[in-house]
Amino acid sequence: MKMMVFDVGGTAIKYGMVDGDFNILFSEEMPTNTYKTGNPIMQALESKLDEYAGEFDAVGISTAGQVDFANGIVTDGTDNIPNYRGSDLKGVFEKKYNVPVAVDNDVNCAGLGEAYFGAGVGENDFLCLTYGTGVGGCIFQGGDVYRGTKCAAGEFGHMLLHAGERQCTCGKKGCYEAYASCRAFTNTVSERFGRYMSGREIFKEENLKNPIIIEELDKWENEIVSGLVSLCNIFNPSLIILGGGIMSEDLLVNHIREKLRNSIGVNYQCVRVEKAKLRNKAGMLGAAYLAAKKLNG
Ligand SMILES: [Zn+2]
């Protein structure tokens, strides 16, 4: 059994082949804007499916945006990708290639990847959050992703924690991700230094002694933790998995762990805070899991 898998993001599309034991046989990537006209993503995926036609038994697609999971249609949240909203990935590709196609959003796929192959192995109820340009979320409950009525559950980045304040990309003011995303942090630090500083640069050892960075890091951690406290109160999870490149920083994760511990009551203390394990392979493995599920019924 082989599955062709994709992980569609705002800047790159990762693709590859996964076998029945969930080994990634190969993976490559192409720029999201490889095609300039029409529906660039559909064309990009189709070009690779054509190239490997006959070699796969199912297709798994992890994608940016919100997805109607049952029908495999991209429904919203893809304003930065031209003509992508409304794409009937499942319908079009199942018809053309005559194999089952599973589609879910990238954070859910990453959550599934971590659930079955990463930091969430053995856990039935956990939350997965990714901190990057925004904050994504996945609710894993009773052994599956909780998707909500319209498959839009887990948008933790748009919890209104500072109503009326800082502008969010969604149009509202005061969303969690406007304060807690990695971008919010690098923007704030860059403003204070009068030049752009990436997360990687900020976390260099010599910079971590700078009082401005110490102050801003402390504030950012508090923003991250305030959202996690609310999520603990709502879900009482046994595990929170933190993903996104910046969460590879042990210092940051240790601070979050400690601050969260000091902010939650006795019945929430059981929560473990762990780094995501699979990094950029999580989405593809989650998509492969969904594709395999289609094949195995
Ligand atoms: Zn928002």
Side-chain angles (χ1 to χ4, degrees):
M1 177 167 95
K2 276 191 195 172
M3 293 156 290
M4 182 102 197
V5 293
F6 296 91
D7 190 356
V8 178
T11 53
I13 300 172
K14 291 195 273 293
Y15 60 93
M17 201 72 82
V18 175
D19 72 11
D21 295 321
F22 297 100
N23 299 304
I24 297 176
L25 303 176
F26 76 86
S27 72
E28 310 265 346
E29 63 177 72
M30 64 200 286
T32 302
N33 64 359
T34 299
Y35 293 84
K36 313 285 183 205
T37 55
N39 185 331
I41 305 287
M42 289 291 273
Q43 291 180 73
L45 302 194
E46 200 168 349
S47 74
K48 291 299 157 192
L49 288 167
D50 282 347
E51 192 177 330
Y52 294 95
E55 292 182 34
F56 50 84
D57 308 294
V59 176
I61 302 170
S62 160
T63 178
Q66 294 177 358
V67 173
D68 171 346
F69 178 67
N71 296 307
I73 297 170
V74 178
T75 55
D76 201 5
T78 57
D79 292 340
N80 54 342
I81 309 174
N83 303 322
Y84 191 38
R85 183 185 302 184
S87 293
D88 181 5
L89 299 173
K90 179 174 153 65
V92 171
F93 294 147
E94 281 193 344
K95 198 171 170 196
K96 180 165 181 191
Y97 301 99
N98 202 26
V99 297
V101 176
V103 190
D104 205 347
N105 87 50
D106 47 7
V107 190
N108 285 347
C109 284
L112 281 165
E114 292 292 339
Y116 290 103
F117 314 106
V121 169
E123 296 283 341
N124 275 329
D125 300 282
F126 66 82
L127 305 175
C128 189
L129 288 94
T130 55
Y131 294 81
T133 51
V135 177
C138 168
I139 304 162
F140 194 80
Q141 205 173 53
D144 199 1
V145 170
Y146 174 78
R147 295 186 174 84
T149 308
K150 287 282 186 180
C151 300
E155 291 277 9
F156 301 146
H158 302 289
M159 298 188 289
L160 272 177
L161 298 190
H162 295 268
E165 295 183 32
R166 196 181 287 171
Q167 185 68 47
C168 179
T169 52
C170 73
K172 292 195 297 270
K173 285 182 175 172
C175 295
Y176 181 51
E177 71 177 35
Y179 295 82
S181 65
C182 181
R183 181 162 68 181
F185 175 57
T186 54
N187 279 351
T188 309
V189 172
S190 299
E191 264 171 39
R192 291 203 61 180
F193 283 90
R195 67 176 181 88
Y196 175 74
M197 288 178 82
S198 68
R200 187 167 296 178
E201 184 183 356
I202 295 168
F203 275 88
K204 279 187 178 163
E205 214 174 323
E206 64 268 25
N207 288 335
L208 290 172
K209 294 176 191 137
N210 183 302
I212 294 176
I213 289 183
I214 293 172
E215 182 193 332
E216 290 301 335
L217 182 60
D218 182 57
K219 282 197 224 161
W220 182 44
E221 289 162 358
N222 292 342
E223 292 292 349
I224 291 174
V225 168
S226 70
L228 297 182
V229 169
S230 298
L231 293 173
C232 281
N233 285 317
I234 297 166
F235 292 101
N236 194 193
S238 61
L239 171 67
I240 293 175
I241 299 175
L242 302 177
I246 200 75
M247 291 299 170
S248 62
E249 299 291 345
D250 286 322
L251 175 92
L252 174 61
V253 175
N254 289 340
H255 284 177
I256 292 171
R257 212 175 259 143
E258 192 186 321
K259 288 183 177 186
L260 181 62
R261 192 76 60 215
N262 294 333
S263 312
I264 48 179
V266 61
N267 287 322
Y268 306 97
Q269 290 288 338
C270 57
V271 69
R272 289 189 296 123
V273 176
E274 301 291 345
K275 294 196 277 190
K277 270 193 186 158
L278 302 176
R279 306 252 182 132
N280 59 358
K281 299 279 188 280
M284 289 207 292
L285 284 172
Y289 170 82
L290 289 172
K293 213 170 151 192
K294 291 251 173 205
L295 278 175
N296 300 329

